[in-house]
Amino acid sequence: MAAFLAELEFALKPIKIGVLGLGTVGSGTVNVLKRNAAEIARRAGREIIITRASAKDLTKQRLCDTQGIVLTTDPLDVINDPEIDIVLELIGGAGVVKDMVLTAIANGKHVVTANKSLIALHGNEIFAKASEKGVIVAFEAAVAGGIPIIKAIREGLSGNQIQWLAGIINGTGNFILTEMRDKGRNFDDVLAEAQALGYAEADPTFDVEGIDAAHKLTILASIAFGIPLQFDKVYTEGITQITRTDVEYAEQLGYRIKHLGIARQTSEGIELRVHPTLIPERRLIANVNGVMNAVLVKGDAVGATLYYGAGAGAEPTASAVVADVIDIVRALTSDPENRVPHLAFQADSLADIPLLSSDRFNTAYYLRLNAEDKPGVLADVTRIMAAHNISIEAIIQKEPSKGETAVPIIMLTQITLEQEMNAAIADIEALQTVTGKINRIRMETLG
Ligand code: NDP
Ligand code: HSE
């Protein structure tokens, strides 16, 4: 009886949380954990309290109520506190933070992180250490902000063979593209607003050059296909080369340009690519605007499924962080061997499927080129395309702009091998009658 009571008392002991980072996501998380404490305790079966938090500058005004939390500038004060059960890593970056997370694991703490660069670059090592110590590392907030996409793929779709997934997985980039298209605003102004709203990464080139989306795609692909995390294999293009002209031509042809992360299993291996993409405007995902994210996942049993929600911001991201905390609290009573695996598949069953180099990708293309307005030019271009086995879906020759002699030619192709397209583009650019570089954007029907 005494043992039973002691066990009961242990079972009811509050879970203590230490938070590293009190910026956008850290503050949002503190607010959600405090505001919803009663509801969360009912769901988790235990009270959850934040006892310590670290930030770089303690004189800074915080967007959360830190009453009752011991603040420090040294993350080790949190990580080494023997009372703390779960460490929330909400600082960001893949440098010093990696050591913080490994130390927390070595100290037997469970870790929740929103840090996609950390997981994409060092997740294999971190998960191995976590498994050795029998602790959980949870990272729902690392992909698509508040959308529970990791849980959906890892648990909800675990009976499926995932065939492909495609998503708008960077909120800042989608916010910029939407504002530019709908309001004609300029790139730098919208990026500054995304930074002020707390959406952008500490280094915003990660958002606009596609690196952040590539981190997220690395994670999604591992969970979808059961492969180790391999960030260096992702083909990555950002949104900085998208022009107003291409947005308008795409719309005239019935398409929207979105920045997508695409992971697709083919008979040869897996394509992992992040780039601007033309999508038919009738697709739901083509109409996902602002900071919203959406991920389409195609499973062999379920068919296509779509997940939509806020991709960045304080409380949407906190929603995912807190859900991970609750999952850990619930799992604390279960056998460590039987917890949901970090990358969805058992660590010793990850597959060695080749990740394809970009010249092996299969996709359709939008091409825009400038050519002299004289007979035979179009015939030369179509001859080159035919020589590379590329079928043209649509072609438009525009009127030359005032005072210009060159005319824009816009082409949509059918699906072709990227290697053939690269060769065709090189041959067309070499024509005397073609001026400048061809603007190429990949195109997906996502059917
Ligand atoms: P912020 O820059 O807003 O916050 C970072 C926090 O970490 C700040 O409180 C900062 O302290 C603190 N910090 C920085 N360096 C150190 C250090 N060496 N030691 C201790 N504390 C430190 O970042 P976000 O909240 O935007 O992002 C945090 C993580 O969440 C990142 O991994 C990001 O990619 C991810 N994420 C962000 C989303 C968003 O919408 N912002 C959405 C999803 C994920 P101080 O405040 O004193 O400067
Ligand atoms: N900078 C990221 C974005 C934050 O804009 O999507 C969410 O991961």
Side-chain angles (χ1 to χ4, degrees):
M1 186 64 174
F4 172 72
L5 283 178
E7 218 175 274
L8 190 66
E9 196 193 338
F10 174 74
L12 296 174
K13 232 175 66 178
I15 290 291
K16 293 193 176 148
I17 305 283
V19 183
L20 308 180
L22 285 175
T24 304
V25 181
S27 296
T29 301
V30 171
N31 286 334
V32 172
L33 276 170
K34 285 194 165 196
R35 189 175 71 234
N36 297 342
E39 186 93 9
I40 288 169
R42 282 174 56 217
R43 290 183 197 270
R46 302 272 278 271
E47 197 189 344
I48 297 172
I49 51 173
I50 307 163
T51 56
R52 275 186 195 267
S54 83
K56 221 161 50 176
D57 176 1
L58 294 187
T59 64
K60 240 189 212 173
Q61 179 97 27
R62 297 290 156 196
L63 295 172
C64 60
D65 167 18
T66 55
Q67 215 184 4
I69 305 173
V70 178
L71 299 180
T72 171
T73 53
D74 186 356
L76 286 176
D77 290 343
V78 178
I79 296 164
N80 291 333
D81 179 344
E83 291 285 305
I84 284 173
D85 305 288
I86 306 175
V87 170
L88 312 188
E89 185 284 294
L90 306 173
I91 292 178
V96 285
V97 162
K98 178 188 169 197
D99 292 332
M100 294 180 198
V101 165
L102 289 176
T103 308
I105 292 170
N107 287 348
K109 318 251 180 245
H110 303 281
V111 175
V112 175
T113 180
N115 188 337
K116 46 275 160 138
S117 62
L118 178 75
I119 297 298
L121 298 176
H122 304 297
N124 297 321
E125 180 185 349
I126 289 170
F127 299 149
K129 295 276 189 235
S131 297
E132 273 168 41
K133 286 295 286 187
V135 297
I136 300 170
V137 175
F139 50 94
E140 182 64 69
V143 184
I147 307 174
I149 187 65
I150 307 254
K151 202 173 192 59
I153 299 174
R154 193 162 59 180
E155 298 175 46
L157 299 181
S158 57
N160 286 260
Q161 285 180 44
I162 306 295
Q163 295 168 333
W164 56 263
L165 60 85
I168 296 171
I169 47 180
N170 182 268
T172 302
N174 203 41
F175 180 70
I176 294 173
L177 289 180
T178 306
E179 291 288 306
M180 284 172 65
R181 173 179 166 268
D182 291 356
K183 302 184 188 153
R185 294 179 62 191
N186 88 35
F187 189 99
D188 293 333
D189 282 354
V190 194
L191 174 58
E193 190 183 344
Q195 288 179 287
L197 290 166
Y199 301 156
E201 293 303 298
D203 176 356
T205 56
F206 276 46
D207 295 292
V208 299
E209 296 297 354
I211 301 160
D212 178 74
H215 287 146
K216 292 165 176 166
L217 188 71
T218 303
I219 298 171
L220 288 179
S222 288
I223 287 169
F225 304 123
I227 53 173
L229 297 151
Q230 295 162 81
F231 169 69
D232 57 336
K233 301 275 174 56
V234 183
Y235 172 82
T236 306
E237 267 181 35
I239 59 169
T240 49
Q241 302 305 318
I242 300 179
T243 64
R244 180 92 220 133
T245 313
D246 291 317
V247 171
E248 280 164 13
Y249 287 152
E251 294 209 7
Q252 287 170 24
L253 291 157
Y255 291 83
R256 293 270 165 83
I257 300 180
K258 290 288 179 190
H259 189 245
L260 289 191
I262 300 173
R264 179 182 284 141
Q265 180 133 36
T266 75
S267 55
E268 288 179 56
I270 294 169
E271 294 181 3
L272 289 187
R273 46 195 172 96
V274 163
H275 51 68
T277 314
L278 267 76
I279 315 171
E281 67 189 358
R282 65 181 181 279
R283 294 262 173 254
L284 284 173
I285 199 167
N287 297 284
V288 170
N289 292 318
V291 74
M292 305 310 274
N293 280 189
V295 184
L296 261 168
V297 185
K298 173 91 188 299
D300 67 330
V302 70
T305 56
L306 177 65
Y307 308 84
Y308 170 83
E315 293 218 358
T317 311
S319 161
V321 172
V322 174
D324 275 347
V325 171
I326 296 173
D327 265 359
I328 292 176
V329 175
R330 286 172 172 154
L332 284 182
T333 46
S334 76
D335 167 9
E337 296 294 316
N338 287 308
R339 288 181 187 148
V340 180
H342 290 108
L343 289 179
F345 292 72
Q346 298 299 332
D348 57 4
S349 322
L350 294 184
D352 187 19
I353 304 171
L355 298 189
L356 300 176
S357 62
S358 62
D359 58 358
R360 306 305 302 160
F361 292 170
N362 275 285
T363 186
Y365 296 85
Y366 158 100
L367 302 177
R368 175 170 58 83
L369 55 117
N370 286 313
E372 282 174 31
D373 189 14
K374 52 180 182 188
V377 176
L378 218 48
D380 287 343
V381 170
T382 52
R383 181 182 43 74
I384 291 172
M385 297 293 259
H388 289 284
N389 299 313
I390 301 170
S391 304
I392 297 171
E393 177 85 31
I395 189 160
I396 314 176
Q397 183 172 336
K398 293 284 182 184
E399 290 300 314
S401 309
K402 242 195 179 148
E404 297 277 337
T405 52
V407 290
I409 296 173
I410 295 99
M411 276 183 287
L412 301 185
T413 76
Q414 293 191 348
I415 292 175
T416 188
L417 194 64
E418 182 128 336
Q419 187 175 294
E420 295 287 1
M421 182 51 78
N422 291 341
I425 286 176
D427 289 353
I428 295 171
E429 283 178 345
L431 290 172
Q432 297 273 314
T433 46
V434 168
T435 51
K437 288 273 178 209
I438 294 182
N439 207 358
R440 164 235 311 252
I441 306 178
R442 294 167 189 81
M443 198 165 89
E444 294 288 336
T445 54
L446 303 178

